[in-house]
């Protein structure tokens, strides 16, 4: 009887030594991706660091604390030099503008509340950069995202991070099965961000105490409207703030200054009831306000669905799952009713407030940590 002489899998899942396994690490210049690169280099992998310049870091859109700008490119390069692996900077400015920034501006002008970080992962990092990694003859690409990739009976599965406070699954729901096959997330199993910083300190990385980057790298100080006005001059056209019952309450300086669910800063004080933004009517240039109960909905239409379940999406009339309609909210029980391979209607078992077009609706297993994909909320009720 012959002995089993198969080569054991290395920590990235390949049946060969780390030194023969090339891994491209997407390095933003922050502590997370720097730790991933240092860890894999320390394990003996053939590491290649790649940093994307996504926008002109000298322009007004840049800000302190953003990723993929000047100081971050310098920090990523320094980590590569200190750990002894090659590092490349790729100018993706035009790709980023076409694939992310322009849609962000257009969808915001249409009254939606976009999530450009998801589009960046989907259309830039996990598309063009992933293809670049393959061109470099890499076996896989690793990132510093807090999410887990686990092998299931039908191939790799996407799972929430061990640390619920750091979990980035909401921003990665559009990762396709083919992409998941090539991607690795070495930090997803860590118990906390403190553990990542401890690893950075152990490796002597200068970025060990570097502050986390902001979610939207090209929006200074969270002021969406100022960015939209730069990108789309004349976008802030004035109009009326109207009560849902038809009363004109005040004037506004542009629909782009408001979001669904907003209460503060409406400039309509003196009323006996608190009012919230319940609808943005771009065509009429109206901000529609009403009582809080008008924000509540059970029905959420979703399109551009990326399904990560084992069976085809339309193989069942209903899927009983949990969903997140905003990144900051916990998953809630829901029923998905497929309308096609990429569209569905979601019934929330508990009504949610402030469900907004342009946000993502991400699907989770009701028990356990698995992610079943998600889609885009495309109109409000």
């Amino acid at each position: 009887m012959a002995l089993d002489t198969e080569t054991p899998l290395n920590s990235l899942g390949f049946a060969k030594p780390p030194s023969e396994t090339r891994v491209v690490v997407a390095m933003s210049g922050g502590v997370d991706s720097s730790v991933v690169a240092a860890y894999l280099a320390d394990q003996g992998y053939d590491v290649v660091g790649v940093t994307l310049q996504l926008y002109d870091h000298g322009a007004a859109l840049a800000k302190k604390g953003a990723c993929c700008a000047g100081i971050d490119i310098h920090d990523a390069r320094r980590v590569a030099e200190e750990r002894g692996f090659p590092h490349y900077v790729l100018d993706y400015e035009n790709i980023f503008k076409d694939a992310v920034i322009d849609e962000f501006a257009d969808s915001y002008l249409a009254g939606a509340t976009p999530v450009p970080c998801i589009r960046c992962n989907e259309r830039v990092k996990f598309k063009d950069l992933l293809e670049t990694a393959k061109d470099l003859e890499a076996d896989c690409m690793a990132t510093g995202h807090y999410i887990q990739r686990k092998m299931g009976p039908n191939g790799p599965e996407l799972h929430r991070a061990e640390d619920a406070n750091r979990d980035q699954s909401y921003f990665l729901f559009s990762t396709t099965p083919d992409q998941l096959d090539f991607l690795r997330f070495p930090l997803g199993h860590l118990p906390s961000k403190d553990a990542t910083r401890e690893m950075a300190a152990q490796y002597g990385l200068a970025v060990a105490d570097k502050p986390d980057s902001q979610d939207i790298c090209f929006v200074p100080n969270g002021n969406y409207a100022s960015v939209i006005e730069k990108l789309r001059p004349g976008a802030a056209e004035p109009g009326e703030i109207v009560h849902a019952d038809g009363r004109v309450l005040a004037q506004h300086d542009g629909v782009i200054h408001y979001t669904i669910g907003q209460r503060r800063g409406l400039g309509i004080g003196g009323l006996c009831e608190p009012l919230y933004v319940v609808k943005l009517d771009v065509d009429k240039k109206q901000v529609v306000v009403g009582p809080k109960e008008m924000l509540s909905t059970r029905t959420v239409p979703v399109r551009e669905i990326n399904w990560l379940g084992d069976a085809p999406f339309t193989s069942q009339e209903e899927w009983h799952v949990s969903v997140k309609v905003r990144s900051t909210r916990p998953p809630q029980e829901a029923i998905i009713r497929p309308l096609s391979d990429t569209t569905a209607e979601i019934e929330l078992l508990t009504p949610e407030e402030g469900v907004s077009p342009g946000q993502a609706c991400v699907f989770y297993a009701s028990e356990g940590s698995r992610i079943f994909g998600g889609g885009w909320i495309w109109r409000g009720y």
Side-chain angles (χ1 to χ4, degrees), residues 297-298 332-333 348-352:
T297 185
R298 284 182 178 271
Q332 304 285 350
E333 287 187 67
L348 305 174
L349 301 193
T350 302
E352 284 268 6

Side-chain angles (χ1 to χ4, degrees), residues 51-367:
T51 300
L52 304 182
Q53 180 180 315
L54 297 180
Y55 56 93
D56 180 0
H57 49 79
L61 294 183
K63 64 171 182 173
K64 184 179 180 181
C67 67
C68 312
I71 187 65
D72 303 291
I73 293 171
H74 168 77
D75 287 343
R77 181 181 290 120
R78 182 165 59 171
V79 170
E81 289 175 353
E82 290 174 352
R83 308 306 299 187
F85 58 83
H87 174 258
Y88 301 98
V89 178
L90 304 181
D91 183 355
Y92 272 39
E93 205 172 313
N94 290 335
I95 293 172
F96 186 66
K97 184 178 184 302
D98 293 343
V100 180
I101 295 181
D102 283 344
E103 184 190 68
F104 169 84
D106 293 339
S107 60
Y108 214 87
L109 284 175
T113 308
V115 191
C117 303
I118 298 176
R119 289 302 198 194
C120 182
N121 290 325
E122 173 188 323
R123 296 177 174 177
V124 180
K125 293 176 182 173
F126 290 177
K127 184 184 177 186
D128 292 279
L129 178 55
L130 192 143
E131 290 304 316
T132 298
K134 291 180 177 179
D135 290 342
L136 291 170
E137 299 182 341
D139 294 284
C140 64
M141 184 172 90
T143 79
H145 288 108
Y146 288 87
I147 196 166
Q148 296 190 80
R149 174 190 184 274
K150 297 183 178 181
M151 289 304 297
N154 296 297
E157 300 172 352
L158 205 58
H159 287 255
R160 282 185 277 181
E162 187 69 26
D163 179 6
N165 294 322
R166 302 298 305 179
D167 176 61
Q168 292 176 292
S169 57
Y170 185 84
F171 300 98
L172 297 167
F173 80 84
S174 60
T175 306
T176 67
D178 285 345
Q179 292 168 345
L180 191 56
D181 194 49
F182 193 71
L183 289 164
R184 299 294 187 273
F185 309 107
L187 303 184
H189 69 287
L190 294 181
S192 68
K193 180 63 177 266
D194 288 343
T196 305
R197 293 195 184 278
E198 287 172 11
M199 290 179 67
Q202 289 170 8
Y203 291 126
L205 302 181
V207 295
D209 296 319
K210 187 175 181 178
D212 290 339
S213 63
Q214 302 299 313
D215 277 343
I216 302 179
C217 58
F218 58 89
V219 179
N221 305 315
N223 190 343
Y224 290 25
S226 66
V227 174
I228 303 300
E229 290 181 67
K230 286 188 179 75
L231 296 168
R232 301 288 185 270
E237 296 183 10
E240 298 174 332
I241 298 178
V242 181
H243 194 285
D245 63 14
R247 288 177 289 152
V248 177
L249 301 178
Q251 302 294 309
H252 66 73
D253 295 327
V255 171
I256 62 171
H257 295 286
Y258 300 85
T259 57
I260 301 294
Q262 179 178 336
R263 178 185 173 188
R264 299 182 183 280
L266 300 182
I268 49 174
L271 300 173
C272 59
E273 63 172 346
L275 295 176
Y276 299 78
V277 176
V278 298
K279 182 181 179 182
L280 298 173
D281 192 326
V282 177
D283 294 333
K284 295 181 180 179
K285 300 184 178 64
Q286 287 184 339
V287 175
V288 183
V289 297
K292 190 175 184 180
E293 53 265 27
M294 288 191 68
L295 289 170
S296 184
T297 185
R298 284 182 178 271
T299 307
V300 182
V302 177
R303 62 185 177 184
E304 291 184 67
I305 288 172
N306 177 53
W307 178 246
L308 295 176
D310 296 326
F313 185 53
T314 54
S315 64
Q316 293 184 197
E317 291 186 0
E318 294 184 351
W319 297 93
H320 291 253
V321 297
S322 295
V323 303
K324 283 177 98 167
V325 293
R326 285 198 176 186
S327 62
T328 54
R329 294 185 181 177
Q332 304 285 350
E333 287 187 67
I335 300 170
I336 305 173
R337 296 188 175 93
L339 301 175
S340 72
D341 288 338
T342 58
T343 61
E345 190 170 85
I346 314 296
E347 179 187 345
L348 305 174
L349 301 193
T350 302
E352 284 268 6
E353 295 176 351
V355 175
S356 177
Q359 295 283 303
C361 180
V362 181
F363 312 150
Y364 298 86
S366 295
E367 296 182 2

Side-chain angles (χ1 to χ4, degrees), residues 18-38:
S19 60
E20 297 175 15
T21 305
R22 176 167 294 176
V23 51
V24 163
V25 179
M27 299 182 69
S28 68
V31 62
D32 298 324
S33 57
S34 296
V35 165
V36 168

